[in-house]
Amino acid sequence: MFDLKNKLENIKNNNLLRNFYEFSSPQNKNITLNDKNFLLFSSNNYLGFCTDSELKISSIETINKFGVGSGGSRLTTGTTTLHRECENLISKFKNKEDSILYSSGYLCNVGSISSLFYEDFVIFSDELNHSSIISGIKLTKSKCVIYKHSDINDLTKKIKENSSIEKKIIITDGVFSMDGDICKLNDLMEICYKFNCYLYIDDAHSTGVLGKTGAGTCEHFNISDEKIILMGTGSKALGCVGGFISSNSLIIDYLKNTSKTFIFSTSQTPENAKTLSNAIIKCTEYESQRDYLKKLSVYLRNSLRDIGYSVIDGITPIIPLILKDEKLCLIFQKELMNKNIFLTPIRPPSVPKNTSRLRITLCCNHTYEDINYLIDCLKSLYLKYEKQIKGEIL
């Protein structure tokens, strides 16, 4: 009745079929898959916190005290002292008045955006924003205007075209998850004041990576402003799970009472709330690791350019190797796995058509020896598939 078999076959024929990769080891730079060891370059575990010994000990202690589950949603029985301690710590970390925890980053964006912005708003959204932002916007009754990626002139033009709408919000990733570039926060704030807009920043991939203490995009640019609503996650550099919004107390109280993905979801486990708190504290002390990660990222980018690859400028640990063709991405993945490197291909709908890529992500546990091995492998693949990479052979 649903014609799912034909739809799935069409996905497969277009080299877009996805399957699970079942690791039988912790999330670290070295992983085990199907009884074979691999060097991992596809994890969001930027600071190595997923396997941090201190965080593991704390998690076990918390489970022994609070149990393995929260037992309910936040507004019924699912709030412990650990949840509120975590929210208070996030607020201090993000330099905001208050914060609210969600069960995941995706639920956080969907629930907060769909709740905060209603029919009186116009939303200006970067064309490369995360899928969770797009999903949240679709649930609002707001007018949505998409502007070209990080194009301040296009954004300005479209704001002027919608000047009759008083309530305006700009939504952007802080660090864009698939390209690894950073939003132009100085320019965005100038626009916010010129046109009386508010700014919502998804700091999922910025938190832990940018700023002296790892507080993210605003700290990186040395900007603190009441016009900014910050979203973040515990599931990237901080090594656990969950999402959060940091803003003023009015916005947070409103979300507590209206955000459906908050109200109707079982809360984070007490163990995760405690681990997230400890991860934030640890993160603030990781300035040297962030500097090292930045140096690794710049080194790899420059080395890939020297080979002949087209690589986006940046300092973050997300480095896209855009091959465009889905089939070529799958070929690269297979060849690299034969050399004990694990890299996942990113294809539509995760990225726009004709921008399929291998999304390289680095963590501070990687060494220059690891990076050089990856470079050598990618150099041999470039020499082997140069014509396909340049689009001369399909």
Side-chain angles (χ1 to χ4, degrees):
M1 178 174 68
F2 298 110
D3 198 28
L4 299 185
K5 186 176 180 179
N6 288 336
K7 290 180 180 295
L8 197 59
E9 191 64 29
N10 185 53
I11 291 172
K12 184 177 180 180
N13 291 337
N14 284 288
N15 298 302
L16 298 175
L17 188 68
R18 289 161 169 77
N19 287 298
F20 293 127
Y21 304 102
E22 300 179 26
F23 295 180
S24 55
S25 62
Q27 186 87 180
N28 211 329
K29 73 165 188 172
N30 299 112
I31 56 99
T32 304
L33 174 66
N34 298 328
D35 297 321
K36 188 176 179 181
N37 295 325
F38 292 90
L39 188 58
L40 179 63
F41 285 104
S42 287
S43 175
N44 296 325
N45 184 26
Y46 305 126
L47 299 181
F49 282 4
C50 286
T51 54
D52 182 82
S53 57
E54 293 178 353
L55 295 179
K56 288 193 290 184
I57 291 169
S58 171
S59 295
I60 293 167
E61 290 174 349
T62 305
I63 287 173
N64 288 335
K65 183 176 180 179
F66 281 86
V68 296
S70 64
S73 62
R74 286 292 303 277
L75 299 179
T76 57
T77 63
T79 297
T80 66
T81 53
L82 299 180
H83 291 86
R84 284 304 296 147
E85 287 172 5
C86 184
E87 287 167 336
N88 291 333
L89 185 60
I90 290 169
S91 301
K92 183 178 179 182
F93 181 50
K94 291 291 185 176
N95 195 27
K96 290 292 182 181
E97 188 176 11
D98 202 358
S99 298
I100 183 172
L101 284 170
Y102 284 76
S103 298
S104 78
Y106 199 100
L107 291 175
C108 183
N109 268 334
V110 170
S112 60
I113 291 171
S114 61
S115 177
L116 289 173
F117 312 122
Y118 39 92
E119 61 270 14
D120 291 346
F121 275 87
V122 56
I123 298 173
F124 300 93
S125 179
D126 190 290
E127 66 177 339
L128 295 187
N129 277 340
H130 191 266
S131 174
S132 56
I133 291 175
I134 297 167
S135 295
I137 292 172
K138 286 180 178 179
L139 291 175
T140 71
K141 295 181 180 179
S142 306
K143 179 179 181 180
C144 179
V145 178
I146 308 297
Y147 64 91
K148 295 176 184 176
H149 177 53
S150 285
D151 189 326
I152 299 303
N153 290 331
D154 187 53
L155 174 59
T156 302
K157 173 176 173 287
K158 287 173 177 174
I159 290 176
K160 288 179 178 178
E161 290 172 351
N162 290 273
S163 59
S164 61
I165 303 176
E166 181 181 354
K167 296 173 181 174
K168 300 182 250 322
I169 181 80
I170 301 167
I171 302 183
T172 182
D173 284 6
V175 169
F176 288 86
S177 61
M178 292 297 128
D179 285 52
D181 55 330
I182 305 169
C183 74
K184 299 174 180 177
L185 186 55
N186 286 323
D187 293 331
L188 290 172
M189 287 310 303
E190 186 177 330
I191 285 176
C192 284
Y193 275 94
K194 184 175 182 179
F195 297 103
N196 193 27
C197 305
Y198 280 79
L199 180 63
Y200 180 110
I201 303 175
D202 180 335
D203 242 3
H205 291 273
S206 314
T207 302
V209 171
L210 294 182
K212 184 175 182 179
T213 68
T217 307
C218 289
E219 187 178 45
H220 175 73
F221 285 95
N222 194 28
I223 289 174
S224 179
D225 200 287
E226 289 186 359
K227 283 184 174 290
I228 298 174
I229 300 168
L230 289 174
M231 176 271 178
T233 65
S235 56
K236 308 313 190 274
L238 299 178
C240 41
V241 295
F244 57 83
I245 295 291
S246 295
S247 187
N248 60 56
S249 59
L250 177 62
I251 284 177
I252 301 304
D253 285 342
Y254 183 79
L255 289 173
K256 288 178 188 175
N257 287 277
T258 63
S259 179
K260 291 184 178 180
T261 60
F262 173 79
I263 295 169
F264 297 105
S265 293
T266 298
S267 68
Q268 290 186 22
T269 65
E271 171 272 323
N272 189 78
K274 181 64 174 178
T275 302
L276 181 51
S277 293
N278 288 338
I280 290 171
I281 294 169
K282 195 176 193 70
C283 170
T284 62
E285 302 166 352
Y286 260 49
E287 185 179 1
S288 63
Q289 288 87 342
R290 272 184 288 279
D291 288 341
Y292 174 72
L293 193 57
K294 176 182 174 181
K295 289 175 183 176
L296 275 186
S297 302
V298 171
Y299 174 72
L300 178 55
R301 280 182 169 87
N302 291 337
S303 299
L304 292 175
R305 285 194 197 96
D306 289 343
I307 293 170
Y309 288 106
S310 177
V311 180
I312 298 170
D313 280 334
I315 59 170
T316 73
I318 301 171
I319 304 165
L321 200 64
I322 299 174
L323 302 175
K324 298 183 180 181
D325 181 70
E326 293 81 19
K327 187 175 181 180
L328 186 59
C329 285
L330 294 173
I331 291 171
F332 265 53
Q333 181 194 30
K334 185 176 180 180
E335 294 254 23
L336 288 168
M337 289 186 77
N338 288 336
K339 298 180 180 182
N340 299 94
I341 288 177
F342 186 87
L343 257 175
T344 49
I346 307 295
R347 298 158 288 166
S350 301
V351 291
K353 194 173 181 180
N354 297 320
T355 68
S356 290
R357 66 199 64 189
L358 296 178
R359 177 179 175 268
I360 303 169
T361 53
L362 306 181
C363 69
C364 62
N365 294 332
H366 283 125
T367 64
Y368 277 97
E369 183 180 359
D370 297 329
I371 303 301
N372 285 331
Y373 179 63
L374 174 64
I375 291 167
D376 288 343
C377 292
L378 289 172
K379 183 176 182 179
S380 67
L381 289 177
Y382 185 87
L383 294 174
K384 185 175 181 179
Y385 296 103
E386 183 175 0
K387 289 185 178 180
Q388 289 92 329
I389 293 168
K390 292 181 177 179
E392 296 173 8
I393 299 177
L394 297 177

